Amino acid sequence: LEFLNKFAILQTTKTTAHILAQLKHTYDKKGIQLSLADLLIASLVIENNMTLITRDADFETITELKKIVMK
């Protein structure tokens, strides 16, 4: 718990919801299925101008997202 308390907690906002809706619409039109959880994470990262570091290759699909996908 002490370790986790070192990190900031990102809260969702109306902007988060707007970004999520745009991403969902964009990728649904392309026929690319992404989970809502991944889209929510991506939306929070985009909104807060951050870089996502992950091992989840599904995020490679989201071009709007600054990310590092570790293999």
Side-chain angles (χ1 to χ4, degrees):
L1 191 57
E2 184 178 323
F3 174 74
L4 292 176
N5 287 331
K6 294 178 182 181
F7 297 94
I9 297 174
L10 301 177
Q11 301 294 327
T12 57
T13 66
K14 287 182 181 181
T15 302
T16 313
H18 182 73
I19 295 168
L20 189 149
Q22 286 180 321
L23 290 174
K24 178 137 181 62
H25 177 74
T26 298
Y27 289 98
D28 281 355
K29 274 180 42 178
K30 293 179 181 182
I32 299 170
Q33 295 296 316
L34 296 166
S35 73
L36 285 177
D38 285 354
L39 290 172
L40 177 60
I41 292 166
S43 299
L44 283 165
V45 172
I46 291 167
E47 177 182 7
N48 289 280
N49 196 31
M50 299 176 126
T51 300
L52 177 67
I53 300 173
T54 183
R55 289 180 163 229
D56 186 344
D58 291 344
F59 286 100
E60 289 179 326
T61 305
I62 305 173
T63 58
E64 299 84 353
L65 180 64
K66 289 188 283 184
K67 73 252 177 210
I68 299 170
V69 179
M70 301 171 64
K71 298 182 183 203

